[in-house]
Amino acid sequence: MDTSIVLFTRDLRVRDNPALVHACRAARVVPLFVLDDAILGGRSAAPNRVRFLLDALRCLRGSLRELGGDLVVRRGDPVAHVAELAERTGAGAVALAEDRSAFAMRRLAALRGLPLEVSVHPGVTVVPPGGVAPASGDHYRVFTPYRRAWERAPRRPVAPVPEAVRVAPGVDAGPLPPLDALTSGPFSPDVPEGGERAGRGRLEAWLRRDAAVYDDVRDDLAADRTSRLSPYLRFGCVSPLELEHAAGEGFRRQLAWRDFHHQVAAAFPELPRRDYRPRGHRWNRDRDALDAWREGTTGVPIVDAGMRQLRREGFMHNRARMITASFLTRNLRVDWREGLAHFDAWLLDGDVADDAGNWQWVAGTGNDTRPNRTLSPLRQASRFDPDGDYVRAYVPELAPVAGGDVHRPWRLPEERRRALGYPPPIVDLE
Ligand code: FAD
């Protein structure tokens, strides 16, 4: 085969990228990324993620140039661009990473309609969806048996960085559009840089400083010592398989959760829209409560801290995600889809499978085997932010309140409370 196209999607890296390695076996290659109008015009186009994506593409282009190649960037319909470039270069094949979202499956079906050899390669998860399956059924519905099978599943070898990327002649690489051509915001002010280099930097720093104590501190809200690699995993700037090799037991468990949600979403593509296990919930349509939750003005400090972290950083600590999601669906009884839409609009790591899977889990409509469990915001606050430092970091009105008292501002003397300018709680939790 003379020329191959590699279509990058959510695998924006040169290390451990099996699709790239496969395409580079051809004499010439067209490393392609298409800014897909169907995505940029839809809900996946959260401004924070578009910015992160552009960083990642800039970085990928730099890495491919170092290997003697380039990143060809186009905008529009990826299938049409693959067809056009195949025609122009005489390419006979296209390689891409396996992605089992409903959107990606439609794209793959359309690619298969082209007169090209289409090959699909692992790399988005540690174990591909469908890589393990129960004797009865197409996917695991419960995490623990999934995890056991996941542990036993064979792993592919880590793919080497290609020695050279020789781009087919006559192809204009095209410019990377400026951010404001793709989105007008709003953006979170405090976000990390995207891309493989930044992701590896974060990984190395985390392995050095925090990995050894991960199991002890992962739920400590103020410590903030989880890896924060989720946006890099979301865009494939770091390889989940490489991470698995580098990290310890507790962290591997989190990667198994990620794979678990991906195999659920692959089998149940309606996951972001429909209850996975309908339980006849009746949701409140309380716009004011929903707005207060979104803005971080519910008057419940641990909830408001999480919601404000989300806006400020495009990220929220996992424990805070659980607390805020539980508060919305259990205390306010607002539909999980409303919460999902708001998370999706701001999260750098926002991903159909992980976001919807976790929302449904918390709401009790998903894969939790104890769907009635409720997280008490106050108990969670005393357990995971005992000194109140997480709240003070994100809710400046409460910064003057010392220690754990910050979690119950309504117990402060009336005058002091008013001076803080922090709202009273919208639900009585005591
Ligand atoms: P670490 O603790 O360092 O974990 C390492 C990696 O494991 C993460 O980067 C992530 O890829 C994976 N992981 C950890 N926990 C989970 C989990 N419960 N489900 C799936 N993967 C996990 N994660 C996303 O990547 N995208 C989302 O859109 C998303 N939405 C969520 C919504 C809700 C309501 C909840 C409760 C959780 C959600 N999560 C989501 C899972 C989890 O909160 C984040 O992955 C984690 O907080 C990212 O921080 P970290 O990289 O520091 O995690």
Side-chain angles (χ1 to χ4, degrees):
M1 184 81 52
D2 263 335
T3 302
S4 269
I5 297 172
V6 53
L7 178 64
F8 289 97
T9 54
R10 48 179 305 172
D11 54 336
L12 305 179
R13 61 177 186 265
V14 294
R15 291 177 70 125
D16 189 38
N17 189 327
L20 174 64
V21 170
H22 179 85
C24 285
R25 289 203 193 111
R28 301 277 175 227
V29 59
V30 182
L32 173 66
F33 186 87
V34 181
L35 292 153
D36 188 336
D37 282 333
I39 295 180
L40 289 167
R43 53 175 245 154
S44 298
N48 279 341
R49 285 200 295 281
V50 174
R51 171 148 82 186
F52 196 91
L53 168 69
L54 277 186
D55 287 348
L57 293 176
R58 217 171 288 121
C59 179
L60 181 61
R61 175 169 266 183
S63 306
L64 290 168
R65 284 181 177 166
E66 279 168 24
L67 295 170
D70 207 333
L71 180 66
V72 176
V73 177
R74 295 288 185 269
R75 181 164 183 184
D77 170 17
V79 180
H81 281 296
V82 166
E84 193 272 323
L85 284 161
E87 175 110 14
R88 178 186 296 267
T89 61
V94 58
L96 73 165
E98 178 173 25
D99 182 352
R100 297 283 297 276
S101 72
F103 183 87
M105 294 304 283
R106 282 196 299 276
R107 180 178 57 204
L108 181 62
L111 283 172
R112 289 202 161 123
L114 300 175
L116 292 174
E117 182 190 313
V118 180
S119 61
V120 175
H121 302 267
V124 170
T125 48
V126 177
V127 174
V132 290
S136 56
D138 58 352
H139 72 293
Y140 282 92
R141 292 164 182 274
V142 176
F143 178 68
T144 306
Y146 174 76
R147 168 102 195 273
R148 274 198 294 269
W150 184 89
E151 289 289 352
R152 288 193 304 264
R155 304 296 194 255
R156 65 178 172 83
V158 170
V161 178
E163 276 170 22
V165 176
R166 290 174 296 270
V167 177
V171 177
D172 173 22
L176 260 180
L179 181 59
D180 60 8
L182 300 178
T183 173
S184 50
F187 303 103
S188 298
D190 205 356
V191 293
E193 186 187 351
E196 185 172 8
R197 184 173 321 215
R200 293 205 75 80
R202 179 169 291 273
L203 168 62
E204 278 153 25
W206 181 78
L207 285 173
R208 232 178 11 251
R209 290 197 305 252
D210 303 313
V213 293
Y214 179 76
D215 294 1
D216 301 326
V217 298
R218 58 177 295 263
D219 271 320
D220 181 337
L221 281 161
D224 186 17
R225 290 179 74 179
T226 62
S227 71
R228 289 196 181 225
L229 284 167
S230 51
Y232 300 97
L233 282 163
R234 160 71 177 79
F235 287 94
C237 305
V238 295
S239 144
L241 184 64
E242 274 201 278
L243 261 182
E244 188 199 22
H245 291 326
E249 205 37 44
F251 192 88
R252 291 183 66 243
R253 183 183 164 83
Q254 300 314 114
L255 293 174
W257 266 113
R258 182 172 179 271
D259 284 9
F260 174 75
H261 290 305
H262 281 254
Q263 55 100 47
V264 171
F268 185 70
E270 293 281 274
L271 194 66
R273 286 173 293 279
R274 269 185 37 217
D275 289 353
Y276 179 79
R277 285 198 171 113
R279 293 183 199 276
H281 282 287
R282 299 177 79 108
W283 304 109
N284 288 342
R285 287 179 192 277
D286 185 340
R287 289 321 293 182
D288 291 343
L290 177 60
D291 284 346
W293 178 82
R294 284 190 189 128
E295 302 294 327
T297 54
T298 64
V300 180
I302 195 72
V303 172
D304 293 345
M307 298 309 294
R308 295 192 201 184
Q309 180 180 26
L310 174 63
R311 292 250 181 148
R312 196 199 288 179
E313 300 175 6
F315 180 84
M316 197 197 297
H317 192 287
N318 177 59
R319 180 53 55 178
R321 294 188 204 204
M322 290 170 68
I323 297 169
T324 53
S326 171
F327 184 77
L328 185 76
T329 54
R330 309 292 177 135
N331 295 91
L332 302 179
R333 305 214 53 78
V334 169
D335 194 329
W336 60 266
R337 279 157 280 243
E338 299 279 8
L340 172 65
H342 182 73
F343 269 34
D344 188 56
W346 289 92
L347 279 175
L348 287 168
D349 63 29
D351 171 87
V352 172
D354 295 316
D355 216 0
N358 277 290
W359 267 100
Q360 293 227 36
W361 193 90
V362 176
T365 57
N367 301 87
D368 193 354
T369 45
R370 288 168 50 209
N372 296 323
R373 84 174 93 201
T374 302
L375 301 181
S376 149
L378 294 179
R379 268 206 302 278
Q380 292 281 310
S382 354
R383 221 171 131 198
F384 301 113
D385 186 31
D387 303 320
D389 293 332
Y390 178 73
V391 164
R392 275 185 296 278
Y394 292 103
V395 185
E397 304 97 289
L398 295 175
V401 183
D405 287 349
V406 78
H407 292 303
R408 289 180 166 82
W410 49 86
R411 287 191 182 171
L412 297 170
E414 167 88 34
E415 209 170 307
R416 172 118 202 264
R417 214 173 57 222
R418 247 190 273 123
L420 292 171
Y422 182 70
I426 60 172
V427 285
D428 183 2
L429 295 172
E430 303 260 23

